[in-house]
Amino acid sequence: MVREEHQRLYGERRKAKREKSRRGLFLPPLHDDDAEPDMSPSEKLNTALTESKKRRQQRP
């Protein structure tokens, strides 16, 4: 039971990693974005997602 769950999670992570590397998302960015040098791309994505989530929740 636990083993099946572990294999499923491992397979999903592996699939996501393969897809990212296929798209070249593990490559360094081509241009230096010096607007926010202390934020990683994943942090930028997470803040953008939380902001859009907040905006959606505020709609009537």
Side-chain angles (χ1 to χ4, degrees):
M1 180 76 184
V2 175
R3 181 171 168 76
E4 292 169 6
E5 184 70 14
H6 177 265
Q7 283 180 329
R8 187 182 63 79
L9 279 171
Y10 178 77
E12 284 178 14
R13 285 197 200 111
R14 199 163 146 235
K15 224 187 288 181
K17 192 169 183 180
R18 191 184 302 140
E19 184 68 17
K20 280 183 184 175
S21 63
R22 188 177 71 79
R23 294 182 185 179
L25 297 180
F26 286 146
L27 298 174
L30 295 176
H31 57 87
D32 292 326
D33 188 9
D34 50 355
E36 295 171 329
D38 55 351
M39 277 184 105
S40 69
S42 59
E43 287 174 333
K44 286 182 188 175
L45 178 66
N46 285 339
T47 53
L49 285 173
T50 52
E51 286 173 9
S52 68
K53 198 174 187 180
K54 286 178 189 172
R55 282 197 299 272
R56 277 193 311 239
Q57 287 174 350
Q58 287 173 355
R59 289 184 191 159

